[in-house]
Amino acid sequence: PEWCGISKDKLYVTVFGGEDLGGGQLLADDVESEVYWLDIVAKDRLKRMGAKDNFWAMGDTGPCGPCSEIHYDMGSSASDQGHTDCEFGCDCGRYVEIWNLVFMQFDRDASGKLNRLPKPSIDTGMGLERLAAVLQGVISNYETDLFTPLIKRAAELTGASLKKEIDKEAHTKSAASLRVIADHSRAATFLISDGVIPSNEGRGYVLRKIIRRAITHGRLLGQAKPFLSEMVFAVRDLMRDAYPELEETADRVSKTVFAEEKRFAHTLGIGFKRLQLDLEEVTA
């Protein structure tokens, strides 16, 4: 209760179940972690997993080690396959990993050999947005207070409805587009704030694709005019307590996004004219 207050009856954990990692390197079961976990959760809530799921590495070489994951049962309503009685381990979306403990014990060299680290450590990582969903009693990150203000503003700027319509399929598509706009506007705001500029190379190209994908989803909702630059201020208002630098960078970021919106609109205009000419030639 003095921490997150999550009921242990909603938690499931995994530990490394032992595996031959090649080259005669056989790692045994992580019995130590299992002993500690069984003081907290029932035995039927603990699952041993192989290296694919419970051995973490930075890459082909470098620090690595077995890990132990904490999962939360979001309930049958979170199952994207409509499961009502599936068990832990099902990948339908019901059981969500919220925390991971990596026991950094080895350094993998270029030959694939695992060399023991002189000072092993524990690398722990918690999913902030996933934990927020758990604590706020919702089944999606997009339903938390980290996203709902952005989705609401995206709906205002695009003219989309947040209410469930008679046409369930249309509402689902609209909700998906609003989520993309909310997510991508946040990402673009922070990237540009940190100095990344839209371009055709490297991280600048990634930023350009993020912006253009958000614009495309705005067009799917019927908004052909620039709108994404206004989303920057919604991101600022939501995140400025944790990231006060957004107060200073928001105007610059908004102008950069607006310029990219104009550039993309021009590109689309040229493309549509060319397409129309090609279609006229085909049908002539």
Side-chain angles (χ1 to χ4, degrees), residues 60-62 107-115:
D60 293 334
T61 61
D107 178 28
R108 179 181 275 148
D109 61 27
S111 70
K113 182 182 178 181
L114 298 178
N115 303 292

Side-chain angles (χ1 to χ4, degrees), residues 132-139 143:
V134 168
L135 297 180
Q136 293 175 27
V138 295
I139 63 174
E143 295 176 42

Side-chain angles (χ1 to χ4, degrees), residues 233-249:
F233 300 112
V235 174
R236 176 201 61 190
D237 294 344
L238 180 65
M239 309 295 290
R240 60 185 167 191
D241 287 345
Y243 301 93
E245 64 270 21
L246 293 179
E247 292 280 12
E248 299 179 4
T249 62

Side-chain angles (χ1 to χ4, degrees), residues 21-135:
L21 300 182
Q25 301 178 105
L26 179 63
L27 292 188
D29 296 357
D30 184 4
V31 178
E32 185 177 4
S33 294
E34 185 172 319
V35 169
Y36 282 116
W37 275 127
L38 291 179
D39 282 339
I40 302 171
V41 299
K43 191 171 184 178
D44 61 356
R45 291 179 173 272
L46 185 145
K47 190 179 183 69
R48 294 182 180 182
M49 307 285 279
K52 180 178 178 295
D53 297 290
N54 277 71
F55 191 91
W56 190 92
M58 290 181 63
D60 293 334
T61 61
C64 55
C67 63
S68 179
E69 299 174 344
I70 306 173
H71 297 252
Y72 183 85
D73 181 3
M74 303 291 282
S76 58
S77 59
S79 172
D80 54 23
Q81 298 178 32
H83 294 172
T84 58
D85 58 354
C86 58
E87 297 181 352
F88 174 57
C90 181
D91 59 2
C92 70
R94 173 173 177 169
Y95 303 95
V96 177
E97 179 190 340
I98 60 173
W99 214 302
N100 191 14
L101 302 160
V102 181
F103 305 113
M104 292 293 193
Q105 298 171 245
F106 307 103
D107 178 28
R108 179 181 275 148
D109 61 27
S111 70
K113 182 182 178 181
L114 298 178
N115 303 292
R116 287 199 171 272
L117 289 170
K119 294 183 178 180
S121 63
I122 299 177
D123 180 6
T124 179
M126 176 266 288
L128 174 63
E129 291 172 1
R130 292 183 181 185
L131 192 62
V134 168
L135 297 180

Side-chain angles (χ1 to χ4, degrees), residues 87-256:
E87 297 181 352
F88 174 57
C90 181
D91 59 2
C92 70
R94 173 173 177 169
Y95 303 95
V96 177
E97 179 190 340
I98 60 173
W99 214 302
N100 191 14
L101 302 160
V102 181
F103 305 113
M104 292 293 193
Q105 298 171 245
F106 307 103
D107 178 28
R108 179 181 275 148
D109 61 27
S111 70
K113 182 182 178 181
L114 298 178
N115 303 292
R116 287 199 171 272
L117 289 170
K119 294 183 178 180
S121 63
I122 299 177
D123 180 6
T124 179
M126 176 266 288
L128 174 63
E129 291 172 1
R130 292 183 181 185
L131 192 62
V134 168
L135 297 180
Q136 293 175 27
V138 295
I139 63 174
S140 166
N141 295 355
Y142 294 105
E143 295 176 42
T144 67
D145 57 6
L146 293 167
F147 273 106
T148 49
L150 298 181
I151 290 174
K152 181 180 178 181
R153 183 56 177 151
E156 292 171 351
L157 292 170
T158 60
S161 174
L162 289 173
K163 296 180 180 180
K164 290 187 177 180
E165 304 161 348
I166 296 176
D167 187 342
K168 184 177 180 181
E169 183 178 353
H171 171 72
T172 300
K173 290 181 179 179
S174 174
S177 289
L178 290 174
R179 289 178 174 185
V180 169
I181 293 169
D183 180 84
H184 288 16
S185 64
R186 191 178 70 170
T189 297
F190 277 98
L191 283 169
I192 299 171
S193 181
D194 285 345
V196 182
I197 300 297
S199 68
N200 290 327
E201 296 180 350
R203 59 185 185 177
Y205 182 57
V206 174
L207 172 60
R208 174 162 285 168
K209 288 201 297 182
I210 287 173
I211 292 174
R212 293 189 171 187
R213 186 164 185 258
I215 295 170
T216 299
H217 277 273
R219 286 176 173 261
L220 290 175
L221 294 172
Q223 181 55 278
K225 296 179 180 180
F227 70 94
L228 198 64
S229 58
E230 290 298 318
M231 285 294 299
V232 172
F233 300 112
V235 174
R236 176 201 61 190
D237 294 344
L238 180 65
M239 309 295 290
R240 60 185 167 191
D241 287 345
Y243 301 93
E245 64 270 21
L246 293 179
E247 292 280 12
E248 299 179 4
T249 62
D251 287 337
R252 172 176 62 83
V253 173
S254 180
K255 290 176 181 178
T256 302

